[in-house]
Amino acid sequence: MSGLLDLTIVLPVRNEAENLGAALQSIGSDLAQAIVVVDSNSEDDTVKIAQEHGAHVINFQWNGQFPKKRNWFLREHKPKTKWVLFLDADEWLTEEFKTELRAALADTPHVGFWLNYSIYFLGQPLKGGYPLRKLALFRVGSGEYERIDEAQWSALDMEIHEHPVLDGSTGVIHAKIDHRDMRGPEHWARKHTEYASWEAKRYMALANDPAAKHQWSHPQKIKYRLMGTPLLAPIFFLGCLFAMGGWRDGKRGVMWARLKAGYFAQVYTRIQQERQKLAKAEN
């Protein structure tokens, strides 16, 4: 099957020179009607690489309020295509995914699709462990990413674990996108330290908000039920290693489960810090 899909692919980025070229190469020139890179004042060659691959570049300057990068793009630069797909710069489209994507969009009653990703760790894809799944492909105008009013409590200018809230049914594309970050474990650690702070503050802001809970997916409801307890990290470690098949990756599987469990332990610690701050403020 050939021909450009009625699709805009959007890559929100900042300082992604090491990853972006490979991601754009994996998309190719015969898949989507538009490829857009939304950049946040990168200080490396990100913009140059995007332009060399023929992508349209838009700069985003966050003001610390809603909307963040993806919702801002949907509102201020609404795609003219029927569908929009959001990719990170370390996500590579496989031929299997592109084939299934064409078939899925050819005739579907759904307004969005959950996408599956392979995770590369220490240079090889993991066979088991925590599955990466995101609702990142949907019809333009069917919804947007859930709203969080931050008032600048985070320095992260892009939606992290917010998911799109869509008006309609969703399907699944089973063929995987390759998730490959070329920047190494040091970057992973720095990034997840930022994420842990964001997760803790989000938990404190939304855990008791009935409207927010109504929009959460089933996995989010389970995670947030456990996040305020010390149980999340050990449960995640055991689940990642045994229930989700991480043992099939041997030492790499154990290391991956420990890394992810350590991340959730950090989230729990930060939640306790936020609770102490709140208690002091109330007194």
Side-chain angles (χ1 to χ4, degrees):
M1 189 181 298
S2 61
L4 297 177
L5 294 174
D6 196 1
L7 170 71
T8 296
I9 298 179
V10 185
L11 297 95
V13 299
R14 183 177 186 275
N15 293 334
E16 288 284 3
E18 291 184 62
N19 288 320
L20 184 58
L24 292 171
Q25 189 78 25
S26 76
I27 296 170
S29 59
D30 61 349
L31 183 67
Q33 289 187 15
I35 301 173
V36 181
V37 170
V38 184
D39 182 61
S40 297
N41 301 302
S42 286
E43 298 168 345
D44 60 8
D45 288 335
T46 293
V47 171
K48 179 182 176 183
I49 292 169
Q51 292 170 340
E52 288 174 348
H53 285 80
H56 177 56
V57 179
I58 299 172
N59 192 66
F60 173 63
Q61 182 71 48
W62 188 42
N63 64 3
Q65 306 293 324
F66 182 90
K68 287 191 173 185
K69 192 180 291 186
R70 294 188 181 100
N71 277 340
W72 174 84
F73 172 78
L74 290 172
R75 291 182 172 199
E76 301 298 325
H77 300 272
K78 184 177 180 180
K80 295 180 173 61
T81 54
K82 185 176 182 179
W83 295 89
V84 61
L85 165 62
F86 284 96
L87 286 179
D88 291 342
D90 56 4
E91 294 170 354
W92 302 6
L93 300 189
T94 62
E95 292 304 317
E96 294 79 9
F97 172 82
K98 289 190 279 189
T99 297
E100 189 172 344
L101 173 67
R102 288 185 178 278
L105 298 190
D107 182 22
T108 179
H110 300 306
V111 300
F113 286 90
W114 288 91
L115 309 181
N116 292 283
Y117 302 77
S118 62
I119 298 177
Y120 277 69
F121 180 56
L122 297 179
Q124 299 178 50
L126 293 172
K127 300 174 184 176
Y130 187 69
L132 180 56
R133 198 169 181 242
K134 293 192 290 188
L135 181 56
L137 169 65
F138 48 93
R139 289 180 187 264
V140 174
S142 65
E144 62 181 18
Y145 286 80
E146 60 183 327
R147 177 168 186 156
I148 298 178
D149 289 304
E150 288 198 353
Q152 197 71 63
W153 51 252
S154 147
L156 302 172
D157 74 346
M158 183 167 71
E159 297 85 357
I160 305 302
H161 298 297
E162 295 98 322
H163 68 280
V165 180
L166 305 180
D167 184 15
S169 65
T170 57
V172 179
I173 293 181
H174 297 281
K176 291 183 177 182
I177 295 170
D178 279 348
H179 182 267
R180 305 194 191 199
D181 193 336
M182 310 301 288
R183 293 168 295 186
E186 295 83 4
H187 177 266
W188 190 95
R190 288 195 302 271
K191 181 174 70 173
H192 281 75
T193 295
E194 291 180 334
Y195 289 176
S197 177
W198 182 91
E199 285 265 33
K201 288 184 169 68
R202 181 179 193 263
Y203 174 86
M204 296 298 292
L206 299 183
N208 296 314
D209 184 344
K213 288 182 178 180
H214 179 71
Q215 295 180 347
W216 288 348
S217 65
H218 183 64
Q220 282 181 313
K221 290 177 181 177
I222 295 174
K223 183 176 78 170
Y224 278 93
R225 213 171 277 135
L226 293 171
M227 192 172 285
T229 77
L231 299 175
L232 183 58
I235 287 175
F236 183 91
F237 176 78
L238 295 173
C240 186
L241 199 56
F242 298 107
M244 302 177 197
W247 58 269
R248 293 184 292 162
D249 294 292
K251 293 180 180 179
R252 286 192 309 121
V254 175
M255 286 188 287
W256 178 252
R258 288 183 64 181
L259 276 174
K260 295 295 286 185
Y263 165 71
F264 285 116
Q266 187 177 172
V267 172
Y268 173 72
T269 300
R270 290 176 180 271
I271 288 173
Q272 301 317 302
Q273 291 175 335
E274 293 298 322
R275 284 174 169 168
Q276 289 176 359
K277 289 179 185 177
L278 184 62
K280 288 180 180 180
E282 290 175 347
N283 293 331

